[in-house]
Amino acid sequence: MVTQALTPTQCAADLMTTVPAVTRFLRAGIRRYGKPHLSLSQLRVLYFLRRRSQSSLSEVADYLDVTRPTMSAMVERLVQRGLIDRISDPNERRRIILTLTPAGEAEMTRVYDATLQTVADRLADLSEAQLQQVQAGLAILSDLFDEGLDGNRAEAQGVSRE
């Protein structure tokens, strides 16, 4: 049996097909557990702040790919609901620092844990070898695409990560 070598273009096409399907599955779970009181966008704000506490309004807006005024209105609603604290940066007067309140952390934990269980249930029928393959693939993708890694900053400056 002759197998043809996989090209980066073929792998990219498969990735571009699979990632949206996984994203739709995750978003459906998040919506299900975040209802009735939080939108998916609001939950994404909470998730981002859970991972990157003390982020600026601009950083969260960039993450969600929305304008600063749109993010400001969304943050205001989350502040009014007691899920986010908003303070001015003492070192830079125009910068707003956002953090989760204990209630925001509790809500994010509840939604995250329920969605995590839904994903785990979907993976439950995989063999140990298949789970290892999925984990290895995710580690590679994380290294390539995680915007928070120093390697991507070096790559953006034309420096090799190897």
Side-chain angles (χ1 to χ4, degrees):
M1 179 175 171
V2 177
T3 59
Q4 189 175 3
L6 182 62
T7 68
T9 301
Q10 290 167 320
C11 191
D14 288 345
L15 184 65
M16 290 174 62
T17 300
T18 303
V19 168
V22 173
T23 300
R24 280 190 302 275
F25 180 83
L26 291 172
R27 284 184 175 164
I30 290 168
R31 275 190 204 103
R32 180 173 43 253
Y33 299 114
K35 283 187 175 180
H37 53 287
L38 291 173
S39 71
L40 181 58
S41 294
Q42 289 172 325
L43 287 165
R44 290 182 68 206
V45 171
L46 297 180
Y47 177 73
F48 182 82
L49 291 174
R50 183 181 196 198
R51 291 179 58 210
R52 295 194 52 201
S53 184
Q54 298 191 358
S55 291
S56 71
L57 184 90
S58 295
E59 289 168 330
V60 183
D62 289 345
Y63 173 73
L64 264 68
D65 196 25
V66 299
T67 66
R68 306 302 180 267
T70 297
M71 182 52 55
S72 184
M74 189 181 309
V75 164
E76 179 59 31
R77 287 188 293 275
L78 291 168
V79 167
Q80 288 175 359
R81 297 174 82 171
L83 300 174
I84 291 179
D85 280 330
R86 175 183 55 204
I87 60 168
S88 296
D89 187 333
N91 300 319
E92 190 178 331
R93 152 180 96 76
R94 294 180 54 170
R95 184 173 187 262
I96 303 295
I97 298 173
L98 304 172
T99 58
L100 291 178
T101 63
E105 179 65 39
E107 180 64 11
M108 190 64 249
T109 298
R110 183 188 68 75
V111 173
Y112 181 86
D113 289 351
T115 305
L116 180 70
Q117 187 58 54
T118 300
V119 174
D121 292 345
R122 181 61 64 102
L123 297 172
D125 291 335
L126 296 180
S127 69
E128 173 67 23
Q130 288 172 314
L131 290 171
Q132 293 285 345
Q133 287 177 318
V134 169
Q135 192 67 36
L138 291 172
I140 292 167
L141 291 174
S142 180
D143 285 347
L144 289 172
F145 295 105
D146 189 349
E147 295 173 2
L149 294 178
D150 289 334
N152 278 353
R153 285 191 212 106
E155 189 175 89
Q157 297 168 353
V159 178
S160 174
R161 287 188 281 162
E162 295 178 27

